[in-house]
Amino acid sequence: MAVDLESLSEATSGALGSLLSTTILYPLDTCKTKYQVEVQDHGQRKYRNLSDVLWEAISNRQILSLYQGLGTKNLQSFIAQFVYFYGYSYFKRLYLEKSGFRSIGTKANLILAAAAGACTAIVTQPLDTASSRMQTSAYGKSKGLWKTLTEGTLSDAFDGLGISLLLTSNPAIQFTVFDQLKQRLLKQKLKEADHDSSSVVLSAFTAFLVGAISKSVATILTYPAIRCKVMIQASDPDEDDDKTKRAQRKPRKTVSSVFCNIWKKEGIPGFFKGIEAQITKTVLSSALLLMIKEKISATTWVLILAIQSIALSVILFFWLEEGSIFAQNLEMAVVGHIS
């Protein structure tokens, strides 16, 4: 089966955009995750706001620990965005070819985005779980990727898969809103440019704003599930300090147990604890991702075409060389036979 170069270009530019945005915002992501995991108990809480998490790292001289798990997170983000953008672009092109439509409606877009998101969640769930455990470990006590994954069973590495599949609605909503807004803006620009489509692209600032709006909508609608997922995947703080407790097998966290725990200790507001930090982080991350992707997608496409051209040239060269050698051998054989 031939490689879909258009989908490959979309996937590569999306993955590179994710890699850069994840690295830039990782300290904020660590603070946000630690803040989300804490559940208020008997009116007591360790972190009153997001800045308390940052201050704790600074006061303990563990500022570099805000980057614990960065390698795993980058690997997870790169693979996730590559799989997502490739799947979304491929499903979108396939749908248009099979249906014969010129554009995709909102409902079809949601289904295609959700399908791509489901594939992404299944492929990257172990890395997602490992990165969450690394981030929520005590400062300076984060383990490596292999040790984190092999501490429990195989099913432990897929903690939160069910809710991750549910959360495929988040990027589905996000990219559907982004795509619809983008198409409307491009149509408006196309009219202003007298139908000269070659020069019609979103500016970096416009792509940033559209990405921020689309992610805000998706985050608000799915935040309770996001917090439950983080709590399911989080490292137990007791296990970081106590080897005896680490050896004891604790009951596995489930969506229902985490849901009931939040409900009993924090009530309805607990399901939205940290939503400001989540929106700040995810909006900046997604806006940067989409902005970078929009700007490097054309370059990525040119590079892929160049690589394809070089590869074909190399193959053709060796094929001609082999043909030349074969012709020489054949000529020598004929001459030897005649003589």
Side-chain angles (χ1 to χ4, degrees), residues 201-253:
V201 292
L202 290 182
S203 67
F205 182 70
T206 303
F208 184 93
L209 287 180
V210 174
I213 293 170
S214 62
K215 193 59 181 180
S216 294
V217 173
T219 300
I220 292 170
L221 293 176
T222 60
Y223 186 75
I226 291 172
R227 193 184 178 206
C228 287
K229 173 177 174 285
V230 172
M231 293 183 66
I232 289 172
Q233 295 178 321
S235 171
D236 192 326
D238 293 331
E239 293 182 358
D240 293 325
D241 302 319
D242 195 325
K243 292 184 179 180
T244 304
K245 290 182 179 180
R246 194 185 309 160
Q248 295 175 352
R249 184 71 174 172
K250 286 194 171 186
R252 188 173 182 179
K253 296 177 185 177

Side-chain angles (χ1 to χ4, degrees), residues 72-324:
T72 300
K73 191 70 173 182
N74 270 336
L75 179 61
Q76 184 260 336
S77 296
F78 186 88
I79 295 174
Q81 293 302 325
F82 186 90
V83 173
Y84 184 86
F85 277 106
Y86 186 89
Y88 179 69
S89 179
Y90 179 77
F91 291 150
K92 184 177 178 180
R93 184 183 60 80
L94 191 65
Y95 174 82
L96 291 174
E97 287 180 357
K98 298 295 183 181
S99 64
F101 298 142
R102 292 185 176 181
S103 61
I104 299 177
T106 303
K107 291 183 180 179
N109 220 339
L110 280 170
I111 294 172
L112 296 177
C119 295
T120 302
I122 294 171
V123 170
T124 62
Q125 188 63 33
L127 291 173
D128 187 33
T129 301
S131 65
S132 293
R133 289 176 182 170
M134 290 177 182
Q135 284 184 311
T136 53
S137 296
Y139 287 125
K141 296 186 178 181
S142 175
K143 307 176 186 70
L145 173 59
W146 180 252
K147 191 172 182 180
T148 301
L149 288 175
T150 55
E151 277 185 335
T153 62
L154 180 62
S155 60
D156 289 337
F158 286 88
D159 275 348
L161 177 59
I163 203 166
S164 292
L165 292 174
L166 176 64
L167 284 170
T168 55
S169 59
N170 185 290
I173 295 169
Q174 174 198 350
F175 289 111
T176 298
V177 173
F178 180 85
D179 199 48
Q180 296 299 316
L181 290 176
K182 175 185 171 183
Q183 293 304 321
R184 291 188 180 187
L185 289 172
L186 289 178
K187 284 181 180 178
Q188 185 177 353
K189 282 179 171 284
L190 186 61
K191 291 179 180 178
E192 296 174 356
D194 296 327
H195 304 283
D196 182 14
S197 59
S198 60
S199 60
V200 176
V201 292
L202 290 182
S203 67
F205 182 70
T206 303
F208 184 93
L209 287 180
V210 174
I213 293 170
S214 62
K215 193 59 181 180
S216 294
V217 173
T219 300
I220 292 170
L221 293 176
T222 60
Y223 186 75
I226 291 172
R227 193 184 178 206
C228 287
K229 173 177 174 285
V230 172
M231 293 183 66
I232 289 172
Q233 295 178 321
S235 171
D236 192 326
D238 293 331
E239 293 182 358
D240 293 325
D241 302 319
D242 195 325
K243 292 184 179 180
T244 304
K245 290 182 179 180
R246 194 185 309 160
Q248 295 175 352
R249 184 71 174 172
K250 286 194 171 186
R252 188 173 182 179
K253 296 177 185 177
T254 61
V255 176
S256 58
S257 65
V258 169
F259 187 93
C260 291
N261 191 32
I262 296 174
W263 175 265
K264 290 179 182 178
K265 294 182 177 180
E266 298 180 337
I268 294 177
F271 292 105
F272 294 91
K273 178 189 173 184
I275 190 171
E276 302 91 346
Q278 181 74 28
I279 289 177
T280 301
K281 183 264 170 182
T282 53
V283 165
L284 287 175
S285 177
S286 297
L288 282 171
L289 185 157
L290 293 170
M291 181 182 69
I292 295 168
K293 174 183 172 293
E294 285 293 316
K295 288 303 170 185
I296 66 176
S297 59
T299 304
T300 304
W301 176 248
V302 171
L303 286 175
I304 289 176
L305 289 178
I307 292 171
Q308 183 193 36
S309 177
I310 292 171
L312 289 174
S313 298
V314 171
I315 293 172
L316 181 62
F317 173 78
F318 281 108
W319 183 77
L320 291 174
E321 282 290 311
E322 289 293 328
S324 176

